[in-house]
Amino acid sequence: MSSRNHTASPVCRVCGQSESESGHEHPAGVCRGCLFKIGIVLIIVMVITSYVVWFGLL
């Protein structure tokens, strides 16, 4: 199968919610709610990593 004809999926890749249910367009195949959740988790991981590096807790 060729990926050239593949269009953006109308379903979120993380939670499976369709565009019609959320009412928003899914950029990169992920809905806004999941993008925010992923962003928050990444920020928390970055903060924990910075404390580990600065204070040498490992």
Side-chain angles (χ1 to χ4, degrees):
M1 297 191 79
S2 175
S3 63
R4 287 181 282 165
N5 295 332
H6 185 267
T7 59
S9 175
V11 178
C12 177
R13 294 180 183 179
V14 178
C15 68
Q17 188 176 23
S18 68
E19 282 184 2
S20 61
E21 293 174 6
S22 66
H24 296 291
E25 191 175 308
H26 293 166
V30 181
C31 67
R32 282 186 174 179
C34 291
L35 282 175
F36 287 130
K37 291 174 188 174
I38 292 168
I40 290 170
V41 168
L42 286 175
I43 289 172
I44 291 171
V45 168
M46 288 171 55
V47 168
I48 291 172
T49 304
S50 69
Y51 276 107
V52 168
V53 169
W54 276 99
F55 298 113
L57 297 176
L58 285 180

